[in-house]
């Protein structure tokens, strides 16, 4: 799916996006976002870029912790939802409608202490290149915090979780949101990421060292803290 098609798809689903995600994750998505925010905000006033921010829930969590947050996404309707979330939590964020897959980014190199990237890698056609460009935005000592769906490792519990995520989720989401395309795309795109070890390999190939790795949701979600290698 090209960038314009993806933007249109997310614009069309912006209104019900958060509600459905909370339902299909049984409310665990809020806990995952807080994990990302705590890893990204290492001090009050830290400058954080929430890349491919969507409805901005990760960035808003960072702002609640005292960060100066920039939300960047190609979908204006998603960012409109992000603005509403920030107002609800009583924080301020800066919003930029932009395509972060572009070769030249409209952001100053070295201008952020942390970049967060939640559930966005699997949609990228050239993830290594995008990850390298995001790394250029980090100040010395900065970090990239990633949250992404992955293929879980084998086991009876993860088998049940996989059945839910890969088979039942698109049907449930279709009934709840009335749009099967987005959630079908979500599920099929996980194959592009693979297992958590594949995600870590991608980050290493893009010039990062992984300093923390954790899985959530019976192995369906991976969280990684990374630093650009010198």
């Amino acid at each position: 799916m090209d960038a314009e098609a993806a933007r249109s798809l997310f614009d069309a689903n912006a209104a019900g996006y958060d509600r459905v995600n909370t339902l299909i994750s049984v409310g665990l998505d809020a806990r995952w976002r807080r994990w990302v925010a705590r890893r990204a905000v290492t001090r009050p006033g830290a400058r954080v870029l929430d890349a491919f921010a969507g409805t901005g829930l990760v960035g808003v969590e960072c702002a609640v912790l005292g960060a100066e947050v920039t939300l960047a996404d190609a979908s204006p309707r998603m960012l409109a939802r992000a603005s509403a979330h920030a107002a609800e939590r009583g924080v301020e964020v800066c919003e930029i409608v932009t395509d972060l897959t572009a070769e030249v980014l409209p952001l100053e190199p070295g201008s952020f202490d942390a970049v967060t990237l939640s559930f966005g890698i699997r949609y990228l056609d050239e993830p290594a290149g995008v990850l390298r460009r995001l790394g250029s935005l980090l100040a010395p000592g900065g970090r990239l915090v990633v949250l992404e769906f992955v293929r879980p490792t084998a086991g009876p519990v993860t088998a049940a979780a996989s059945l839910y995520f890969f088979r039942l989720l698109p049907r449930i989401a279709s009934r709840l949101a009335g749009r099967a395309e987005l959630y079908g795309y979500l599920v099929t795109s996980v194959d592009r990421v693979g297992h958590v070890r594949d995600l870590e390999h991608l980050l290493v190939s893009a010039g990062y060292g992984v300093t923390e790795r954790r899985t959530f949701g019976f192995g369906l979600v991976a969280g990684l803290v990374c630093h650009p290698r010198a």
Side-chain angles (χ1 to χ4, degrees), residues 68-80:
E68 297 178 5
V69 176
T70 299
L71 308 177
D73 197 274
S75 169
R77 290 187 182 178
M78 284 289 203
L79 286 179

Side-chain angles (χ1 to χ4, degrees), residues 4 8 12 35 40 55 60 80 87 151 160 163-164 193 213 220 224 228:
E4 180 58 27
S8 297
W35 182 89
T55 59
V60 169
R151 282 275 180 185
L163 175 64
Y164 166 72
V193 177
R213 182 179 73 179
L220 286 165
L224 300 99

Side-chain angles (χ1 to χ4, degrees), residues 22-226:
T22 297
L23 288 171
I24 63 180
S25 69
V26 201
L28 295 176
D29 57 323
R31 184 182 303 176
W32 304 338
R33 290 193 298 271
R34 286 194 293 270
W35 182 89
V36 173
R38 288 194 295 267
R39 269 51 183 188
V41 183
T42 57
R43 60 174 177 80
R47 301 161 298 168
V48 176
L49 171 66
D50 188 6
F52 303 95
T55 59
L57 290 175
V58 168
V60 169
E61 286 292 342
C62 291
V64 169
L65 294 179
E68 297 178 5
V69 176
T70 299
L71 308 177
D73 197 274
S75 169
R77 290 187 182 178
M78 284 289 203
L79 286 179
R81 294 293 302 153
S83 180
H85 288 315
E88 289 168 3
R89 300 292 297 276
V91 295
E92 294 184 0
V93 295
C94 174
E95 299 155 16
I96 300 175
V97 178
T98 188
D99 178 11
L100 290 175
T101 67
E103 289 290 332
V104 179
L105 301 179
L107 297 161
E108 284 293 322
S111 56
F112 296 99
D113 301 301
V115 173
T116 63
L117 178 50
S118 301
F119 304 121
I121 287 178
R122 66 187 183 280
Y123 297 132
L124 301 175
D125 289 332
E126 298 183 54
V130 174
L131 288 167
R132 280 191 289 270
R133 290 191 289 275
L134 290 176
S136 73
L137 302 177
L138 289 168
R143 54 179 52 193
L144 170 71
V145 187
V146 170
L147 191 68
E148 188 55 86
F149 287 113
V150 293
R151 282 275 180 185
T153 54
V157 175
T158 54
S162 294
L163 175 64
Y164 166 72
F165 184 84
F166 293 103
R167 297 290 183 85
L168 300 180
L169 185 152
R171 299 178 186 178
I172 294 170
S174 178
R175 288 177 177 270
L176 293 172
R179 294 179 182 272
E181 185 182 7
L182 176 62
Y183 295 93
Y185 182 39
L186 182 157
V187 168
T188 58
S189 64
V190 173
D191 285 328
R192 302 176 68 179
V193 177
H195 297 276
V196 62
R197 63 179 178 272
D198 299 313
L199 178 57
E200 185 167 349
H201 177 74
L202 169 64
L203 289 160
V204 170
S205 70
Y208 294 89
V210 178
T211 56
E212 183 176 356
R213 182 179 73 179
R214 182 171 175 180
T215 57
F216 307 93
F218 306 106
L220 286 165
V221 176
L224 300 99
V225 180
C226 317

